[in-house]
Amino acid sequence: MTADRQMPEPRQMPQPQRTPTSVADAPKGNWVDTLAPAASRPFLRLSRADRPIGTWLLLIPCFWGLALAVAADPAGYRLWDLWIAVGSTVGAFLMRGAGCTWNDITDRDIDGAVARTRSRPIPSGQVTVKRALVWMTVQVALAALILLTFNPATIALGVASLGLVAIYPFAKRFTWWPQVFLGLAFNWGALVAWTAHSGTLSGAPVILWLSGIAWTLFYDTIYAHQDKEDDALIGVKSTARLFGDAHSGLWLRGFLVLTVLLMTGAVLAALMPTDPGVAKLLLALAGVWAFGWHLAWQSGRLDTTDPQNCLWLFRSNRDAGLVPALFFAGAALL
């Protein structure tokens, strides 16, 4: 062998692509990543079980509707209301999971192009589309079993919500206001829980539902500011892009005022026909005003250029939404 002849470079074996061990925007150390069996984790991530805020935002309007229905009922609480609360909680978890699974199936190409979402189970290769469809069907079927325990009017409302769930993932492709479609679906529980208690649907829960839609416009515009740069590159529409950094604050204050006015109207429509007494009425309205103050606090601290700030404030809406639920429940005791 001559001195200037070099030994051939060792052949590099291709390295297998690593599957993400968690989703990028999930809270660190969440129970799915740390406690759930390994085989179940991709499916639980698909259902966003590692990020419970969405379940809370779907469940809270159910609590509003139930508590306000009880407050408007001269008979007050019944034992059946406990099952309405439990059924709504389990149902919200299942339907939020099914909705997120459907969203990820329809958005798999979009999610793969966005930094925050490319680690989700389908674009990262953890779950196939076929298995995701099966998982979605299982969740819907389990939710249906709970729904069938309620009265016929409630069952009809629950079935009707499926259309809104199916449409929402496509909204950002054809409108700048996809948050409206999210609000229509996410606050449907106010109608369902009211009807589960009362047996009929009336004007008060409809106004409460509209209040929830305005609230969703508030919090999901904040959420959408995290992705507005990627959304602009791939052509996805949102209110965050529509309003921009310059005008989002003004729009959010408008949504805040609309939320409070509509919820006030719902309380008055529910309680005034029952001659509730001053204490009950003021306690329920105090919950609405405290809710409004929490939204104002969020608005004052929002930095639309900071994704972490947007995510932090978005998640704080769990606490914001629980405020009127607790006040309505207290009013129902009077």
Side-chain angles (χ1 to χ4, degrees):
M1 179 182 295
T2 58
D4 60 347
R5 191 169 181 179
Q6 298 181 355
M7 295 291 293
E9 291 287 336
R11 189 174 180 180
Q12 297 291 326
M13 296 296 293
Q15 296 296 315
Q17 186 175 4
R18 295 188 63 185
T19 301
T21 56
S22 63
V23 178
D25 58 350
K28 303 302 181 186
N30 65 80
W31 75 273
V32 173
D33 293 346
T34 57
L35 299 176
S40 70
R41 290 176 188 172
F43 297 96
L44 292 171
R45 291 169 186 150
L46 198 60
S47 298
R48 309 286 199 277
D50 53 350
R51 283 158 290 169
I53 179 59
T55 299
W56 279 109
L57 295 176
L58 187 61
L59 175 60
I60 284 169
C62 300
F63 288 163
W64 293 351
L66 175 60
L68 195 57
V70 175
D73 186 349
Y77 285 103
R78 299 191 291 265
L79 185 59
W80 179 248
D81 296 322
L82 179 60
W83 169 243
I84 296 175
V86 172
S88 295
T89 301
V90 179
F93 177 82
L94 290 169
M95 285 308 299
R96 190 258 182 147
C100 288
T101 303
W102 173 241
N103 184 82
D104 281 10
I105 291 169
T106 60
D107 282 0
R108 57 190 182 275
D109 295 330
I110 292 174
D111 287 345
V114 176
R116 187 178 61 83
T117 58
R118 65 171 56 107
S119 58
R120 287 179 177 175
I122 295 178
S124 66
Q126 299 176 61
V127 178
T128 65
V129 172
K130 183 177 180 179
R131 289 187 176 185
L133 284 168
V134 172
W135 177 236
M136 180 186 71
T137 303
V138 169
Q139 292 172 96
V140 172
L142 292 173
L145 292 177
I146 295 172
L147 182 64
L148 290 173
T149 66
F150 297 124
N151 58 56
T154 304
I155 294 171
L157 282 169
V159 172
S161 71
L162 294 177
L164 297 171
V165 174
I167 292 171
Y168 166 67
F170 301 100
K172 55 184 168 290
R173 295 165 168 84
F174 62 80
T175 178
W176 287 100
W177 294 82
Q179 281 72 24
V180 171
F181 288 85
L182 181 67
L184 291 170
F186 254 58
N187 296 281
W188 198 258
L191 308 178
V192 171
W194 174 286
T195 306
H197 173 87
S198 67
T200 59
L201 189 62
S202 61
V206 173
I207 300 171
L208 187 64
W209 175 57
L210 294 173
S211 173
I213 294 170
W215 178 43
T216 302
L217 281 163
F218 178 89
Y219 68 65
D220 206 59
T221 296
I222 293 174
Y223 182 83
H225 270 286
Q226 298 176 89
D227 298 328
K228 58 181 180 288
E229 294 180 2
D230 286 331
D231 287 349
L233 290 174
I234 59 180
V236 170
K237 298 177 174 66
S238 71
T239 49
R241 286 191 61 207
L242 178 65
F243 306 151
D245 294 328
H247 302 293
S248 282
L250 179 62
W251 278 96
L252 289 175
R253 287 189 289 274
F255 297 145
L256 185 165
V257 171
L258 185 59
T259 300
V260 171
L261 288 177
L262 286 168
M263 189 173 284
T264 299
V267 169
L268 295 176
L271 298 186
M272 290 304 290
T274 68
D275 190 21
V278 174
K280 175 181 282 192
L281 185 62
L282 287 182
L283 184 60
L285 290 174
V288 179
W289 299 330
F291 180 40
W293 278 113
H294 196 293
L295 300 187
W297 171 84
Q298 293 181 51
S299 180
R301 282 155 180 78
L302 177 63
D303 179 359
T304 58
T305 65
D306 181 355
Q308 288 301 313
N309 172 268
C310 294
L311 183 59
W312 168 59
L313 290 174
F314 166 74
R315 287 175 175 165
S316 75
N317 279 279
R318 180 202 64 178
D319 298 339
L322 285 173
V323 169
L326 291 171
F327 275 79
F328 293 168
L333 293 171
L334 300 179

